[in-house]
Structure formats: structure tokens, C-alpha cells
Amino acid sequence: MTAALIHFAGSAQPVRAAPGDTVLRSAQHAGLDIVATCGGRGRCRSCRVKVLDGTPPPATIADLVQLGDDEVGEGYRLACQFAVTAETSLQVAPPLDESAFQILTDTGAPGGGRLALDSGLVRDFVKPQLPDEEHHQTSDLEALFEAIEGQAKFDLDTLRTLPQALRVKGEGVTATRFAGRLIALEPGDRRDASYGLALDIGTTTVVGYLMDLTSGEPLATVSGLNPQTVYGGDLMSRIAFAMQEPGNTRRLRSRLVRYLNELIGEACSQAGVSAEQIYKVTAVGNTCMHHLLLGIDPTYLGQAPYAPTLREAYECGARQVGLKVNPGARLCLLPLVAGFVGADSVAMVLATSLDRSAGVRLAVDIGTNAEMVMSLKGRLVACSSPAGPALEGAQVRCGMRAAMGAIDRVALEDGDIALSTIGDAPALGLCGSGLIDALAVLLEAGVIEANGRMPLQGDLAAPLQARLRADERGIPEFVLLAAAASGQDHDIVIGQGDIRQIQLAKSAILSGIQTLQRVLEVADDEIDELLLSGAFGNYLDLTSVRRVGLIPDLAPERVRYVANAAGLGAQMALLSESQRRRADGIASSVDHVPLAGHPEFQDIFLAATAFPSRRHALTE
């Protein structure tokens, strides 16, 4: 079998497909982006393509399940299932026009505004006495160390700048040290410009905080979608992509670093500073993001016993990973705990002072990969749970990210459905908060049963019954908004399969929490405070969260939103070396609970898939 050409509409150059390769893999090899939320496993519809010329290949089971009879009949196929055997012309189905993303960047002030500033950066402006006689047995470096009254380690690149820096118009030099290392030499007095960057690198989103290291003042906040999502919406999908061939780890890393540099440029532009004035960078993220930033192959994270390459805090030159900041700037990554409980969880504990709690407190970062840490009288236990991208709208038929036009609120008014969208724009689909609201409403109204089943007939109000129907395969679905009232050419619905996806995601989170409760022998009513963190968790309606059973059924006053706690922890470590050292102690003191190995986890997970049968007033 010889290679075949794929002609993509809108692309000038055809893509060559090796024998047996899929359309998706061929496109990835050629550097052409086709979104594959599930990582190319045939579990979503994001990579669909339409055959424009020739006969489409026979539909696979995945094609039929994800696309349905109508789209299959129109020539649509999943790119990840489409093995190329002959020259073909394709149109990549356009993704939703997702813009103006709703990304949580708020963190509150580091240390509640009472953080003692100690960035570790030491900046001296000196005029070293240079040798002026040949018999002086000294050197530029010795003269510098004498002037700053101390010695330091140094890199060759820094040393190379020394002769010129010391001799520019006799202005003197600003010597910058960090952690006993000479990192920058700049002619003139530059002490008034010392900046740092805190990065929170999530599976779905990336947030950067540019800060003045002298005053602690935040100067700019930038954010956006993690560009690696094109290769998979969850961690295991990206790990699977990295495993496909040796160059894929490099692709994942370079894509991330390139985007980080775009954010750095944007932040500096907003603040009116130069990237050359950034001398310290802190970064937090889950274990997979941590490894990919460093260019470490994440393959073994996806295989039992899921061991990271390193757990301890790591410091290196920021330029070593490709960040375009001061050439001598240092990158400080917070430590990991174990498995997928990463530096973002450590940062969350740091920001919430969970390690200093007297009672029982629980912090939950709800995202594609959910992490939870519980404290009991100073003891910390933690686990991670692969909630998957469903709660962020992926792998849900009409799901989308929290962007302009996403349905973010659903309510029951006068016996029928009422909804709102982000930006009051025409509805394009459902984001995570809208999905949870919708399920809560349908549970309360009796449309969905406690086991997640949605029967076509029930004791329902007439307006709700009119919205229930069967799709082309006879599977129940509920019409939230008719096409004529939306911004789409089709109805916006919740189907039985969508409910199952949400059940699995919410069970992953709740069962993780309940497993920690079993380990510490803590009942629901003994939890003094539950902290909801993360981009998704902070946009949820608490009443809806309780109704679907995403978290233990605690009284509202015992649940608190803490914005982006991981980002706040990254800022604290940026501004204070004592806080960065405290993070080391936190990571070493946390007991990791591997859920897969817990003897009761399977039973806990299965029980947690059910929705609560009791009802709360949704106006509560």
C-alpha cells in the first residue's frame, strides 16, 4: 500500500498519509490542527471531517455512536477513526466559535495582603574598583565580589557579560543574585525594576500574574486556553499522544512554551515593562503539566504505579525551558506530592493554610483533573480524580467551554425552562455550570430519575413533557432550546448519554472526597469547611451542586469559594522565599491516597454515580 494524499479544504498543501494512518494522525504529523478532545479514542465528536470528494469509508461503531445516522449519511466521519487508503478531499468541521472565554484569574491578595515580602532577589548597585596596574593580581570577578561583599555561583553566560557591564561609561553595575547565584549583570542602576511572574498551568487553562517583586503589587494578569487541548482534553489523552512517537513530547512542550511566551509578552505590554526585567518565575500545575513544561516524557505517569520523574521542588534557568525573560532569570517549580497530586495542589494548601488548620477542612480543585486535600488536626491526606472534560462541556453533544454564548444558568420558572447565556449572546451550547444547573432542574422536576435514567413518559408538567423526545436512535433527549431561538442551526439538547457523562464526572469527584473521609474517619457533619477552588468550581451554583451530589451535602454556610487558590499559592511563592520553603514542608507531609488501590473505592464510586433522591428548593 502506497501513501495517499489528503486535500483539506482551505489548505494550500495536501497532507501525505502513510499506509494505515488515520486522518487525525496524518494531520498532526503535518502540523495541521484538528481538535481531538478525547485524544483520538473515538469518544467525542470534536475531530469530525466531511468527505467532499469520493465515497466515504464505512462508518465505524464510534462514528455511529458519536455522529448519529444523519451526519454519517451526510459523509461525516471521525478523523481519528478514518484510515486513509486512497486520495481524498476533506472539510474539517468547524469548532464552535468560542471566544471571550470565562477564565478564573482572581486570587485575592497573597497572604491576605499581609505577606512579608522576601522574593530572594538581592540587587546591588556597585562601582567596583577595577585593576589599573598590571601587577595587580586580581580580576573583574574578584572586584565585583569585593564590591557586593560576597561571593556567588555563576553561569558562563553571566560571566561573559561582566567585562562590558563593568566598563560602560563608568556608570557602575547592578548585580542581581538569587539563592546564592549571580544571575544578571546590567550597567547602571536598575534596582527600581524588579519583576516576577507566577504561572498556573492547568490542563485546560493557563494564567499568568506579573508582579512587582519590590512592592508585591500585581501589574498584569493574562490568561487563555492551554494550547495542548488540541491533542486531548484530559491528561491521559495527552499522555497517550506523547506515547505514540518520540517527538510528541517535544510537540506538547513547544506548543505550551510558545504560548507562555505569548502571555509573557501580553503581560509586559499591559504593564509597560520589559520581559528582560523579569528575574524570577514560579510555576505550578499538575504532575503532567509540570513534566511537559520541563520536557520530561510523561509516558510513565500513565502507567502503574504512576510515578513522577521527580517530586522535589526544582529550580533552573528560565531560558533553559525556553521562557523569554531575563537571560539569567530563575524558574522555580513547586514540589509535587505523588501521582497526579501535583504542585497546584501544594499551592492550594499554601494559599488556604490548610496545613495550619485545627479542625476538619477540605479543599477541592474542580477541573479536568480534580484534586482534593483534607486536613484533620494538622494531618493532610490527598488524592486526585480524573473527572474528565465533561464538566467543561467536552464529550457532551451540545457542550462547549465557558465562552460567549454558552448557556451558564438554567432555572425552572412557571413550570418551564428559563436560561441565560454568557454575554447575553445567542445560545451556542452548554458550559459546565449550565450543565450542572440543567441537571439539577431536571432532577427536581422529575425528568431525570435518581439513577440517571430519563424516561420518555412521566408525571411531568405539560411544558416539560413537550420538550422530551427520542433521537433518531430512539434514545431520550430533552430540548433546552429550539434551534429557532438559539445561535445554532439545531436544537440545544441534553441526551441520555450526556447525563451518563456527567454522572461519571461527578462520581469521580464525590468518590474521591468520600474516600478521604473514610481514610480519616470523618462524617459529612464533621467537616467544618469545604473550599471550592478552580475555574470550574467557582462558577457553580451551590444549590445545583448540592442537588446533583457533586460534593457532600453540607449546609451552605460551610462551603466557601476560594477563587484560583493554585494561582494564589504560586504568587505567594514568587513574593516570599519562606512561603516557597513552606511549600516543601507541605508536599512532604501530605499522605497520598491512590484511589485505584483503595479496597473500597470501586463500591464508593458506583454508589456516587446516583443522584441524591432528596430534593432541595432550587431557589434556596
Side-chain angles (χ1 to χ4, degrees), residues 17-41:
D21 261 6
T22 63
V23 169
L24 178 62
R25 181 170 290 193
S26 301
Q28 289 172 340
H29 283 165
L32 178 68
D33 286 350
I34 297 180
V35 176
T37 302
C38 72
R41 292 175 290 174

Side-chain angles (χ1 to χ4, degrees), residues 406-424:
I407 297 172
D408 63 338
R409 289 286 176 254
V410 179
L412 194 63
E413 294 180 4
D414 300 323
D416 202 2
I417 296 295
L419 50 83
S420 66
T421 64
I422 296 175
D424 293 325

Side-chain angles (χ1 to χ4, degrees), residues 442-489:
L442 298 184
L443 282 163
E444 194 68 16
V447 176
I448 298 175
E449 298 174 344
N451 61 6
R453 183 171 169 268
M454 185 164 57
L456 287 171
Q457 295 294 329
D459 183 18
L460 305 176
L464 299 180
Q465 184 64 60
R467 293 174 180 269
L468 263 175
R469 70 187 187 194
D471 65 13
E472 69 271 13
R473 291 168 291 165
I475 298 174
E477 63 183 18
F478 186 89
V479 180
L480 284 170
L481 193 67
S486 75
Q488 295 280 39
D489 59 0

Side-chain angles (χ1 to χ4, degrees), residues 385 387 390-391 436 439 450 499-513 545 547-551 605 607-612:
S385 186
L391 293 178
I436 296 299
L439 260 64
I499 296 170
R500 296 302 185 204
Q501 288 290 336
I502 300 299
Q503 279 184 282
L504 292 173
K506 80 100 179 175
S507 180
I509 295 167
L510 181 60
S511 59
I513 294 172
V545 167
R547 183 63 188 88
V548 302
L550 190 67
I551 61 173
F605 180 88
T609 59
F611 295 112

